[in-house]
Amino acid sequence: MAIPRDLAPRLLRAAQIAPSITLTGPRQSGKTTLARAVFPEHSYVSLEAPDTRAFAAEDPRRFLAEHPNGAIIDEVQRVPDLPAYLQEVIDSDPRPGRWILTGSQNLALAASVSQSLAGRTSVHYLLPLARREVVRFDEHPRTLEDALFAGGYPRIFDRRADPSEWLRSYVATYVERDVRTISQVGDLATFQRFVELCAGRTGQLVNFLSLASDCGVSQPTAKAWLSILEASFIAFRLPPFHGNVGKRLVKTPKLHFYDTGLACWLIGIRAPQQLRTHPLRGAIFETWVVSEIFKHRLIRGETRGLGFYRNREGAEVDLVIKGPSGMTLVEAKSSQTPSESLFGGALRVQRQLADASLSCDVAVIYGGGESQDRAAGRVIPWDSVHQAAEQRLSDFGPADAATRASRQTRTEGQLRGTYL
């Protein structure tokens, strides 16, 4: 069962402007399905097949000539030199939207595309399903624990697969195949242990000394391996908030996984019921909230403006969303009961930012199902997590027709500046 993806409208708009579209993201995030659904008139060719890959590598000009009207070229990073030959084709016929390139392994694809297709391709990222997309499946998680445990890889919902079984195979494929392609990791068993240790630290400050010590590798190796996880869209570092607030701010980023289902599997959680009392429940929920808001903004072309706040005096908030008219402070609380105590940390940070003449609102995303507007801020149910991102994206209010039209014009204008 194919479901609509929120990124589809942006791809269609970009295809009206750019000669080619580059769609990248982690394996099994639905790139091929989305590309073929959005551009059904395009021919499709996958470089995963050895014979096709050999043809494209050995005779790239002839390979491209077989698609005079363009094509969807899947797993384009498998033939790194192909974009250089595609540049010639685009320059001779720059009609928009002819070429759709998809692939994983961010570093390999980005290097190939940026060197050869500068100014000729519009780059987009497709991450695992956001909650708004998950609920489009007939069978989808209804409880918070089920949602955290299942994560967002489309195949789990499309095939109604057991998350643990599917993710077990995913991890095996990732470690045994993709890691070897991205980097020369000699000891795969130790690398897998490193990935598991990172999952156990999701929602925490990055500590390379601790990671290296617990894994039995050097700090430079730990840094290189974390870069591999980032390059393959497994994990990311959330930057700390920086501002002139007169406080000693923490400058170390936080580690988060893009998918909590994968993090749960790596930690050893094999049933959603374990999350009810698991000591990492809070950290996993925080990662889920951060990744959901990250996905929501990325779909809309907002690639910056997220961070977290923590200072040496203990004031902290899980997420800071920067917008044109101020900031939103977001706290993630897995508790199912809304109360004023949920706002404590965020209000402390709000007061400190107010002292520095920085305007900010407060939102708490919690594990319950009731939405509330309180004097301290908004209480948002976990199932409506996207509202926290929309709150700042829409400047805290429902936009009138003129505002929406202006925002649409800005978005389309930004597309012209997103080419690598």
Side-chain angles (χ1 to χ4, degrees):
M1 173 187 173
I3 55 102
R5 298 298 299 265
D6 288 345
L7 185 60
R10 277 186 61 83
L11 295 181
L12 285 170
R13 292 197 299 271
Q16 297 173 6
I17 302 169
S20 72
I21 306 295
T22 299
L23 181 61
T24 186
R27 284 197 173 274
Q28 301 295 324
S29 63
K31 299 181 297 296
T32 302
T33 301
L34 176 61
R36 300 188 75 171
V38 174
F39 304 102
E41 72 285 356
H42 282 57
S43 60
Y44 171 81
V45 58
S46 174
L47 299 183
E48 193 73 16
D51 56 340
T52 305
R53 183 165 66 249
F55 178 26
E58 295 168 5
D59 196 349
R61 288 190 174 91
R62 182 181 172 194
F63 170 80
L64 293 172
E66 289 197 347
H67 304 281
N69 296 318
I72 298 170
I73 303 179
D74 204 1
E75 300 295 344
V76 70
Q77 81 282 349
R78 303 281 283 175
V79 183
D81 292 335
L82 188 61
Y85 292 92
L86 183 59
Q87 174 187 340
E88 299 176 5
V89 176
I90 290 176
D91 288 345
S92 63
D93 185 355
R95 283 178 293 163
R98 281 206 304 153
W99 300 97
I100 314 298
L101 312 179
T102 76
S104 308
Q105 303 171 25
N106 190 21
L107 287 180
L109 183 59
S112 175
V113 169
S114 62
Q115 292 173 12
S116 305
L117 297 179
R120 300 170 180 85
T121 190
S122 178
V123 181
H124 300 266
Y125 301 90
L126 186 69
L127 297 177
L129 298 164
R131 176 64 183 176
R132 289 182 9 148
E133 297 171 315
V134 168
V135 299
R136 293 169 189 160
F137 286 92
D138 293 336
E139 298 291 333
H140 64 265
R142 260 71 178 184
T143 69
L144 173 59
E145 290 76 18
D146 286 337
L148 298 177
F149 179 73
Y153 285 98
R155 289 289 180 88
I156 292 176
F157 307 100
D158 185 37
R159 299 182 176 180
R160 300 182 182 180
D162 175 77
S164 284
E165 287 300 311
W166 190 89
L167 289 165
R168 176 184 61 78
S169 299
Y170 184 85
V171 170
T173 301
Y174 168 70
V175 171
E176 295 172 5
R177 174 185 172 180
D178 288 355
V179 169
R180 287 189 185 276
T181 305
I182 297 173
S183 179
Q184 295 300 317
V185 175
D187 190 343
L188 290 179
T190 303
F191 180 79
Q192 181 158 345
R193 171 63 178 158
F194 174 81
V195 179
E196 293 168 353
L197 289 170
C198 286
R201 288 164 167 78
T202 191
Q204 300 179 21
L205 297 178
V206 177
N207 187 330
F208 286 113
L209 177 61
S210 174
L211 273 172
S213 176
D214 290 351
C215 196
V217 298
S218 66
Q219 286 194 56
T221 297
K223 292 178 180 179
W225 285 1
L226 182 56
S227 295
I228 293 174
L229 297 187
E230 293 176 310
S232 49
F233 300 97
I234 298 297
F236 65 99
R237 280 176 269 192
L238 181 70
F241 174 84
H242 291 292
N244 185 21
V245 296
K247 301 289 182 180
R248 297 175 60 203
L249 298 177
V250 169
K251 298 180 180 179
T252 304
K254 270 189 176 183
L255 179 65
H256 285 291
F257 271 57
Y258 284 111
D259 188 78
T260 57
L262 180 58
C264 286
W265 192 92
L266 291 166
I267 291 168
I269 297 172
R270 297 293 181 263
Q273 294 79 10
Q274 290 178 255
L275 282 163
R276 294 174 183 169
T277 57
H278 198 281
L280 292 180
R281 172 188 170 91
I284 293 171
F285 181 64
E286 178 186 336
T287 281
W288 185 82
V289 168
V290 172
S291 64
E292 283 289 315
I293 293 176
F294 184 90
K295 293 173 192 175
H296 189 78
R297 289 171 62 87
L298 187 64
I299 287 168
R300 285 153 179 75
E302 298 282 340
T303 58
R304 299 180 181 179
L306 295 182
F308 74 95
Y309 183 103
R310 180 183 293 185
N311 64 25
R312 305 294 181 183
E313 287 72 40
E316 62 179 300
V317 69
D318 296 328
L319 189 63
V320 179
I321 305 176
K322 295 182 181 179
S325 62
M327 295 178 289
T328 300
L329 308 181
V330 179
E331 276 282 82
K333 300 293 185 181
S334 62
S335 167
Q336 296 184 354
T337 305
S339 66
E340 290 295 327
S341 63
L342 301 181
F343 289 92
L347 290 179
R348 183 180 177 187
V349 173
Q350 185 186 43
R351 288 192 293 270
Q352 292 183 359
L353 293 176
D355 292 340
S357 300
L358 296 174
S359 170
C360 56
D361 279 10
V362 172
V364 171
I365 300 173
Y366 79 120
E370 182 182 355
S371 180
Q372 297 180 357
D373 286 313
R374 298 193 173 206
R378 298 177 63 199
V379 179
I380 300 174
W382 69 273
D383 206 20
S384 301
V385 61
H386 60 277
Q387 291 182 6
E390 289 178 340
Q391 182 177 4
R392 180 51 65 188
L393 286 174
S394 59
D395 294 344
F396 299 114
D400 57 24
T403 302
R404 285 195 300 271
S406 174
R407 191 175 302 134
Q408 177 71 14
T409 300
R410 292 199 307 270
T411 299
E412 293 179 352
Q414 289 167 356
L415 283 174
R416 297 180 175 85
T418 59
Y419 307 158
L420 275 176

